[in-house]
Amino acid sequence: MSTQPDLLYSEEEEALRAAVRDLLTDHCAPADVITRTESDAPHDLALWKLLADGMGLAGLLVPEAQGGQGASAREAAVVLEELGRAVAPVPYLTSAVVATEALLACADEELLGRLASGRTIGALAVGLHLAPDAAFATVRAENGTLHGELTGIADAAVADVLLVPADDGGLYAVTADAVTVTPQVALDLTRPLATVTLVGAAGRRVGDAGPAVRRALRAAAGLLASEQLGVADWALTETVRYLKERKQFNRPVGGFQALKHRLAQLWLEVVHLRAAARAAADALATGEDTDVTVAVAQAYAAPVAVRATEEAVQLHGGIGMTWEHPAHLHLKRAKADSLAYGTAGAHRSALAELVDLQGP
C-alpha cells in the first residue's frame, strides 16, 4: 500500500541545513566563487575537504557498514539545497550522489568506501545531459583495455577515478591518470564539463553498466530538483531583500503593485517547487513511486529555477547585470541544470508513459 510522502523537514534535517549553511557562509563567499570561475581551477577543493572530511557529507548515501553515514536521499537533498543556494563549486552531486549511486548498484565496497570518505572524488563518465532512461555512449573494451571518447562529463577535471561504461556491458573504474581530460566550453563555470579520451586505458570492472547508470541518473535527476530549489530560493529571497532597500520616487521599489504581483507569483512557484523536490527526495529514500515522483519534480523544477533567476537579474536593475553581482552565477547554474539529467520536456514525456497518458 502506498503511503503519503513526508514533505516536511525533520529536526535533524534542519540542523544539518544550519550546519552546512554556516560553513558555506564562512568559506564560500560569492566574490570568491566568481574569482574561481576566472581561474584555471574553478573547483574549491579546500571547501570540498571541509564538507567531506570535516562533516562526513560525501558518505551520506553509503551504509555505515561500508564506511558511510547511513543516511538517505532526504539528507542529501538538504545538502544540495544549500550548495545550490551558494552555487558552491564542489563535486558533491557528481561524486557523492551520481558516482556513489552507481557503485551502490555494483559490488565494489572498497571504492565505495573511498568515495564515502571524500578523499577520492569519483565521476560517472556519462553525459550530464542524459535522462535516466536515455541510451548512453560506451567505449570499446578490447583485451582488458578501454578505447574511445566520451563528451559532456561533469567534474571530470577534478575526479580521481572515472566510472566508464563499455560496450561489453560492464562499468569500469579507471584512474584519472590513465585518461586524457579536455575541458569543454560550459555555460555554468562552477560545474565544468570535459571530454574524456581513453587510448588503451586499463580499467577494473566493478559491475554491470545498465542498472548502475540508470540508478545513478534517476537519483541525480531527483536530487537535482533540490539543488534547483536552492538556486530559486536564493533568487527570490535576495530579490525581495533588494526591493525592500532600493528606493525610487522616495519609496521602496518593492512597494509598487506590479512588482508585488511578480514576486507573489514567483513565491508560489518556489513553494510548489519545494513540495516537488521534497517529494522526489522522499521517494528516493523510501522507494515509493520513485520514477513518477522524480519525473514530476524534474518536469517542474527547471522552468521555475530559470524564471526565478531571470527575475532576480532583471529586478536587481543595473547591478544585476554586472559580473561582480552573484545573480549571473545562479542564472547560469539554473540554465545548465535545466539541461542536466534530462530536460523538462523529456521528463514530461517519461511521465506520460509512466501514467499511461499518451498524447495524440
Side-chain angles (χ1 to χ4, degrees), residues 327-359:
H328 69 92
L329 292 175
H330 292 79
L331 175 58
K332 289 168 186 169
R333 174 62 68 87
K335 292 291 279 186
D337 280 357
S338 72
L339 302 176
Y341 307 118
T343 61
H347 285 284
R348 280 194 291 272
S349 298
L351 182 61
E353 284 190 32
L354 288 166
V355 299
D356 199 23
L357 277 175
Q358 294 302 300

Side-chain angles (χ1 to χ4, degrees), residues 238-264 311-319:
E238 283 301 302
T239 304
V240 169
R241 185 185 63 75
Y242 178 76
L243 293 181
K244 282 181 176 178
E245 294 173 358
R246 177 83 167 91
K247 290 190 175 176
Q248 208 165 36
F249 306 115
N250 212 27
R251 59 181 286 196
V253 175
F256 292 105
Q257 191 75 357
L259 296 190
K260 284 183 178 178
H261 284 199
R262 283 168 71 169
L263 292 170
E311 288 284 80
V313 170
Q314 189 172 46
L315 294 178
H316 272 80
I319 194 173

Side-chain angles (χ1 to χ4, degrees), residues 10-22 55 78:
S10 67
E11 283 185 25
E12 291 81 3
E13 287 162 7
E14 289 292 9
L16 175 62
R17 177 200 305 288
V20 175
R21 188 176 294 188
D22 284 350
M55 297 184 71
V78 170

Side-chain angles (χ1 to χ4, degrees), residues 9-310:
Y9 298 98
S10 67
E11 283 185 25
E12 291 81 3
E13 287 162 7
E14 289 292 9
L16 175 62
R17 177 200 305 288
V20 175
R21 188 176 294 188
D22 284 350
L23 180 70
L24 293 172
T25 300
D26 292 341
H27 297 279
C28 191
D32 295 338
V33 177
I34 292 169
T35 301
R36 284 194 170 278
T37 64
E38 297 170 323
S39 73
D40 293 332
H43 292 98
D44 189 341
L45 294 181
L47 176 60
W48 170 251
K49 186 174 170 59
L50 289 171
L51 290 165
D53 246 6
M55 297 184 71
L57 300 183
L60 281 182
L61 297 176
V62 180
E64 288 185 50
Q66 294 166 325
Q69 304 299 318
S72 75
R74 291 178 59 94
E75 288 80 12
V78 170
V79 174
L80 279 165
E81 272 185 53
E82 293 307 313
L83 294 177
R85 180 188 295 276
V87 199
V90 292
Y92 187 84
L93 181 65
T94 44
S95 183
V97 175
V98 183
T100 296
E101 285 283 348
L103 285 173
L104 284 168
C106 304
D108 197 300
E109 294 192 9
E110 187 266 336
L111 183 52
L112 190 60
R114 280 162 49 200
L115 257 63
S117 73
R119 294 187 182 92
T120 296
I121 296 172
L124 180 64
V126 170
L128 181 66
H129 63 287
L130 288 179
D133 288 320
F136 52 89
T138 58
V139 297
R140 193 173 80 258
E142 191 178 281
N143 300 325
T145 58
L146 303 173
H147 307 258
E149 185 175 275
L150 300 163
T151 61
I153 313 304
D155 292 338
V158 77
D160 301 302
V161 63
L162 292 145
L163 302 176
V164 181
D167 58 2
D168 64 354
L171 187 68
Y172 289 83
V174 181
T175 57
D177 56 12
V179 304
T180 303
V181 176
T182 310
Q184 292 178 256
V185 177
L187 175 64
D188 180 7
L189 301 172
T190 61
R191 182 173 285 149
L193 305 177
T195 297
V196 175
T197 307
L198 301 94
V199 181
R204 180 170 59 82
R205 185 173 176 136
V206 293
D208 295 333
V213 170
R214 187 182 183 284
R215 172 175 175 160
L217 295 187
R218 185 177 69 171
L223 291 176
L224 181 68
S226 290
E227 177 178 292
Q228 290 164 307
L229 168 61
V231 171
D233 196 47
W234 176 91
L236 174 63
T237 303
E238 283 301 302
T239 304
V240 169
R241 185 185 63 75
Y242 178 76
L243 293 181
K244 282 181 176 178
E245 294 173 358
R246 177 83 167 91
K247 290 190 175 176
Q248 208 165 36
F249 306 115
N250 212 27
R251 59 181 286 196
V253 175
F256 292 105
Q257 191 75 357
L259 296 190
K260 284 183 178 178
H261 284 199
R262 283 168 71 169
L263 292 170
Q265 180 60 36
L266 200 56
W267 181 84
L268 278 174
E269 291 179 16
V270 172
V271 167
H272 294 158
L273 171 53
R274 187 179 301 280
R278 292 303 296 162
D282 190 67
L284 285 165
T286 61
E288 293 273 354
D289 294 326
T290 310
D291 289 337
V292 169
T293 313
V294 166
V296 168
Q298 266 312 307
Y300 189 75
V304 173
V306 170
R307 213 176 78 75
T309 49
E310 286 176 343

